[in-house]
Amino acid sequence: DTILDLYCGAGSIWLSFLKMGIGKSVIGIETVSESISDAWHNAKINGMEDHAMFLVWQAEKMFVLHPQLIDKCKNLGLIIVDPPREWLHKNVVDFLIRMKQEYQSKILYISCNPVTMARDIELFAEAEIHCKTLQAVDMFPHTHHIEVIGVL
């Protein structure tokens, strides 16, 4: 199956999954072109460049402005979302709901802002997509920052 990594950065998350044998290819989307350059570099040094496609775009506009790209997202087994501090744009939530309903894709939601993550999980719940697991991760001890990982 294909992994879709929205807000993929340099690719550390999807790369970990492919190296464990989870997924066969990745589509990575990120707004920062330098991060996409790093993702291509990481794919190449790990022998994954033939299994990767990266795009420098805003996820919230991508599927609206270029609906033909949805065809490339068929057979998604896993969708990884690691958005910036603000919540997911409504267009992204709508796309994720559609992919979950059409392909039964798993959604791995990683957030550095539990408040906005809760708002997004509520939107998914309205579409009968429920959070199965939540795990807090304290990556910055002695600060108020916390990461939360959820599986939908």
Side-chain angles (χ1 to χ4, degrees):
D1 292 324
T2 300
I3 296 173
L4 174 65
D5 191 350
L6 298 177
Y7 317 99
C8 70
S12 58
I13 300 171
W14 66 260
L15 185 57
S16 298
F17 280 103
L18 288 184
K19 293 207 56 113
M20 289 187 299
I22 299 170
K24 296 178 182 157
S25 63
V26 65
I27 300 169
I29 300 180
E30 174 60 60
T31 59
V32 180
S33 61
E34 292 83 3
S35 293
I36 290 296
S37 294
D38 290 342
W40 276 117
H41 176 75
N42 287 333
K44 184 175 183 175
I45 65 174
N46 285 281
M48 303 285 182
E49 70 269 22
D50 293 339
H51 306 281
M53 176 174 78
F54 301 108
L55 304 166
V56 180
W57 283 358
Q58 290 178 315
E60 60 270 16
K61 294 180 181 177
M62 185 179 125
F63 301 107
V64 173
L65 296 176
H66 302 282
Q68 71 276 16
L69 291 172
I70 291 176
D71 288 339
K72 293 193 181 287
C73 293
K74 291 185 177 167
N75 299 319
L76 290 177
L78 175 63
I79 302 169
I80 302 167
V81 249
D82 188 0
R85 288 201 172 273
E86 59 272 0
W87 52 61
L88 291 174
H89 188 277
K90 179 78 166 103
N91 292 346
V92 175
V93 172
D94 291 344
F95 168 77
L96 294 173
I97 289 170
R98 179 176 164 195
M99 292 297 105
K100 177 77 173 157
Q101 291 170 339
E102 285 185 33
Y103 303 110
Q104 300 302 309
S105 307
K106 284 191 176 23
I107 299 173
L108 179 68
Y109 191 137
I110 303 167
S111 179
C112 60
N113 189 339
V115 173
T116 59
M117 182 183 194
R119 174 258 183 196
D120 292 338
I121 287 174
E122 195 172 304
L123 292 174
F124 288 115
E126 290 172 10
E128 298 299 319
I129 298 170
H130 301 286
C131 188
K132 303 280 184 201
T133 304
L134 278 177
Q135 176 66 54
V137 181
D138 188 2
M139 295 179 61
F140 308 103
H142 309 294
T143 72
H144 67 279
H145 297 286
I146 192 163
E147 295 278 323
V148 180
I149 303 169
V151 178
L152 290 91

